[in-house]
Amino acid sequence: MAVCFSSGSDVSLRESLWRLPPLVLCGAWLVATTSTPAVSVAQSGARPGAHSEVDLSRFAHADDCQSCHNNLVSPAGQDVSIGTAWRATMMANSSRDPYWQAAVRRETLDHPSHAATIEDECGGCHMPMSTQIARAAGGKGSVFTHLPVARPQRDPLGRLAADGVSCTVCHQMAPEGLGTRERFNGRFLITPPTRAGVRQIYGPFEVDAGRKTIMRSVTGYEQVQARHISESEMCASCHTLVTNAIGPNGDLIGSLPEQMNYPEWRHSAFPDEGKSCQFCHMPAVAGPVRVSSVLGDGRARLSRHALVGGNAHMLRILNRFRDELGVTAASQEIEATAMATIRQLEQDTAIVSVTAARWEGRQLSFDVNVRNSTGHKFPTGFPSRRAWLHVVVTDDRGNRAFESGAVDDSGAIVGNDGDLSRTAFEPHYETITRADEVQIYEPVLGDRWGVPTTGLLTATQYLKDNRLLPRGFDKGTAAAEIAVHGGARDDVSFTGAGDRVQFHVVAAQGRGYEVDVELRYQSIGYRWAQSLEPYDAVEPRRFASYYQATSAGSSVVVARASIRVDSADSADR
């Protein structure tokens, strides 16, 4: 499918068409004239409902779009192809994500009476096209019928499910209700076709009548300039999730604001600064640059479609086990996205400093200050994510006098109560004096009895949430769904301006010391991965093996700082 958000006269279009190679025109015509029939719910693999047929024409495959939205080059000569960038992202591989697959299977095993609803809910964002089609037919989305793992997709919805969050999901998302609770949990609307059967495809640019005619005749889609395509409210649909807790008898016993990226952003300074989700996650390349390689004129900017987030670990799992998981992007493309993710984590995520180093008798004392640079809590999103301080104090003879927050090859944090026991967690600290005290910025979910859990549909509350707050976030006025929980709530040094932790280390007199601090980050914490091991099912077993094979590289250093402290004797002089 060619989505040509460009401009020009009808005369130049006709001239350009005659100059196009015949194969381009023939290929485009095939896209337009190859119709996809309606098939029965049973044929599609969707869960049965009130209707017997599903309409596959609601969406197009990403392959159809890439023919015109690749081969794009910036003025500096950089490849900014939309399709190439997208296909190596977590969005493109949302259905292939083995951790997501394992987590969904775990929830269906924990709550079998709700299995169909769980698959439909989780498929709404990770397999949106197949789920939307199944819902439109009166049924429910199915996850495990469509997994693009180690087999060709034979059912009609399989290729659409494998496409993950594809082009015609975001670019067909209707503006109605975006940013409201009604549209959270992946409950966005797809704009219906016109009476003439034409589907609207939204983009940021105004398009002339001639190119609209060509687009419509070739693909069945017509470009519409729309503001909402560039606004955070669109992203909020799948990045704001409220889960329902299920009791042992299958009854609903509460709810949990599980992922609150959008409300966190709303309560920060970023909206007033004009910085949307797209501002950071789809940064624009300056033009003039074409957004279509076919009949595209230069535009002032192009939003990159690499959609970089914070999950380099999963991208590398996808790359390493690509054959088993059905990954189609080239290995070098996936690695490039992983490297871009790490660069963003290192350069644009947080800042660490060490200040107020001083001697207090036999103690070396210093403050570690951490500031979040993102527009939401850090980490945000799925609650398996965590960041922590790794602090090392070394004397001038090379002896390690103190260490807090080391990570071992299994992905566990040394001294973290939560990695040692399923029923414990590390508290929030204002002051650290021992090696087994670790400042971990994380959400800890609790069940209805107040016991820590990694089961999303078992959780009814937060026992701890001291994730770093974005600039401008006032924890005193924050709504309950984005509140700070645990010790950080009453810590006056934990604010939207950052966090300060005081360290007091017993040190030998007459020696100088080096204090080195890292802020480390994991997208999948050790306990969250380990909690899947008891489940006797393909998906949890598969992910557990992947995690074991990659856990040594599961964390990233987001920020560093160091300071040299003279000996107490030198300080006295």
Side-chain angles (χ1 to χ4, degrees):
M1 186 192 73
V3 186
C4 307
F5 296 117
S6 20
S7 61
S9 68
D10 291 353
V11 173
S12 64
L13 282 173
R14 287 195 294 270
E15 293 174 349
S16 299
L17 280 171
W18 285 115
R19 290 197 294 271
L20 285 175
L23 284 178
V24 172
L25 289 174
C26 290
W29 180 251
L30 282 173
V31 171
T33 58
T34 303
S35 61
T36 306
V39 298
S40 70
V41 173
Q43 287 176 315
S44 72
R47 296 185 183 278
H51 302 97
S52 60
E53 290 189 339
V54 294
D55 178 11
L56 298 178
S57 69
R58 293 169 67 87
F59 299 98
H61 296 292
D63 289 348
D64 299 333
C65 307
Q66 293 182 38
S67 58
C68 289
H69 293 286
N70 273 347
N71 302 313
L72 306 178
V73 182
S74 74
Q78 183 183 14
D79 185 349
V80 291
S81 297
I82 293 173
T84 301
W86 167 84
R87 69 189 179 201
T89 66
M90 289 303 304
M91 303 283 274
N93 291 283
S94 58
S95 65
R96 299 182 178 92
D97 180 341
Y99 182 55
W100 171 74
Q101 295 170 7
V104 176
R105 181 65 79 184
R106 179 246 177 103
E107 298 294 346
T108 63
L109 293 173
D110 282 348
H111 312 286
S113 63
H114 291 264
T117 299
I118 291 169
E119 288 192 48
D120 178 67
E121 188 84 353
C122 297
C125 289
H126 281 255
M127 292 179 169
M129 292 189 287
S130 60
T131 301
Q132 286 268 340
I133 289 171
R135 289 173 180 172
K140 290 184 175 181
S142 174
V143 168
F144 299 108
T145 303
H146 304 307
L147 289 185
V149 177
R151 66 171 186 264
Q153 290 300 315
R154 302 187 186 281
D155 69 276
L157 291 182
R159 276 189 66 207
L160 291 174
D163 256 5
V165 185
S166 191
C167 316
T168 52
V169 176
C170 297
H171 287 278
Q172 280 193 103
M173 196 178 293
E176 288 78 16
L178 292 181
T180 67
R181 186 171 294 275
E182 182 184 17
R183 295 287 169 254
F184 296 161
N185 285 48
R187 295 288 170 176
F188 56 87
L189 301 176
I190 295 296
T191 299
T194 65
R195 290 183 178 179
V198 176
R199 290 195 171 275
Q200 294 182 331
I201 197 85
Y202 297 114
F205 303 121
E206 183 178 358
V207 182
D208 63 88
R211 282 178 169 80
K212 283 187 177 182
T213 300
I214 294 171
M215 178 80 167
R216 184 171 60 247
S217 64
V218 171
T219 69
Y221 288 88
E222 181 175 276
Q223 311 99 310
V224 176
Q225 185 182 28
R227 180 178 177 179
H228 73 275
I229 199 75
S230 303
E231 295 177 337
S232 295
E233 284 68 23
M234 188 183 76
C235 308
S237 296
C238 278
H239 291 280
T240 311
L241 280 78
V242 178
T243 52
N244 291 318
I246 302 171
N249 298 321
D251 52 326
L252 300 182
I253 59 173
S255 63
L256 182 84
E258 184 232 306
Q259 295 183 45
M260 292 287 118
N261 305 37
Y262 174 71
E264 292 164 9
W265 171 83
R266 288 288 305 165
H267 196 62
S268 77
F270 280 62
D272 291 339
E273 295 171 0
K275 296 177 180 177
S276 65
C277 303
Q278 294 89 333
F279 180 87
C280 294
H281 295 282
M282 299 182 69
V285 58
V289 59
R290 295 196 298 170
V291 299
S292 172
S293 58
V294 178
L295 304 178
D297 284 344
R299 293 289 188 176
R301 60 181 177 81
L302 167 64
S303 293
R304 299 175 188 269
H305 282 62
L307 296 157
V308 174
N311 209 346
H313 183 202
M314 181 53 64
L315 286 164
R316 284 177 166 160
I317 287 176
L318 286 164
N319 217 1
R320 179 167 176 176
F321 303 100
R322 56 187 300 107
D323 293 338
E324 294 177 38
L325 296 172
V327 174
T328 57
S331 179
Q332 62 269 25
E333 294 170 355
I334 297 280
E335 178 58 22
T337 304
M339 291 300 297
T341 301
I342 291 172
R343 282 195 300 272
Q344 176 162 283
L345 286 168
E346 292 175 338
Q347 298 174 9
D348 303 316
T349 301
I351 299 171
V352 171
S353 63
V354 185
T355 60
R358 59 203 181 273
W359 287 96
E360 298 176 346
R362 294 181 55 84
Q363 287 191 138
L364 171 60
S365 299
F366 53 89
D367 296 347
V368 174
N369 309 281
V370 191
R371 189 170 79 239
N372 178 9
S373 300
T374 73
H376 42 63
K377 291 182 181 181
F378 176 71
T380 194
F382 194 77
S384 66
R385 301 180 173 195
R386 63 185 183 181
W388 69 96
L389 294 177
H390 177 211
V391 178
V392 178
V393 179
T394 309
D395 69 20
D396 52 15
R397 301 179 186 178
N399 300 313
R400 186 161 294 187
F402 177 85
E403 183 172 19
S404 166
V407 59
D408 64 26
D409 286 345
S410 72
I413 301 172
V414 178
N416 174 26
D417 291 346
D419 287 348
L420 294 171
S421 170
R422 296 177 185 272
T423 58
F425 61 92
E426 199 77 357
H428 174 83
Y429 291 100
E430 296 182 42
T431 302
I432 288 179
T433 61
R434 302 199 315 263
D436 63 349
E437 297 173 336
V438 188
Q439 184 74 315
I440 306 175
Y441 302 107
E442 62 181 345
V444 176
L445 309 185
D447 64 18
R448 58 179 174 171
W449 296 285
V451 178
T453 180
T454 56
L456 295 184
L457 304 185
T458 304
T460 63
Q461 60 184 303
Y462 282 93
L463 305 178
K464 172 189 177 185
D465 184 0
N466 69 334
R467 290 172 293 168
L468 292 162
L469 305 176
R471 183 174 65 255
F473 191 105
D474 183 348
K475 66 181 181 182
T477 61
E481 62 188 10
I482 56 172
V484 175
H485 295 272
R489 181 178 51 203
D490 300 319
D491 180 357
V492 296
S493 67
F494 182 87
T495 70
D499 181 39
R500 185 191 72 229
V501 186
Q502 295 184 340
F503 284 77
H504 301 290
V505 177
V506 176
Q509 299 292 306
R511 298 182 189 177
Y513 287 86
E514 183 84 16
V515 179
D516 295 298
V517 179
E518 296 176 335
L519 179 67
R520 300 192 73 96
Y521 161 76
Q522 272 180 331
S523 57
I524 305 171
Y526 173 84
R527 178 56 56 201
W528 285 81
Q530 295 300 309
S531 66
L532 294 171
E533 289 192 348
Y535 291 88
D536 186 18
V538 172
E539 295 82 12
R541 287 199 304 268
R542 179 168 55 226
F543 178 74
S545 70
Y546 292 169
Y547 192 86
Q548 290 169 6
T550 61
S551 57
S554 62
S555 65
V556 175
V557 177
V558 173
R560 289 185 173 92
S562 62
I563 191 171
R564 170 73 184 179
V565 183
D566 291 332
S567 69
D569 293 341
S570 299
D572 291 339
R573 290 195 298 271

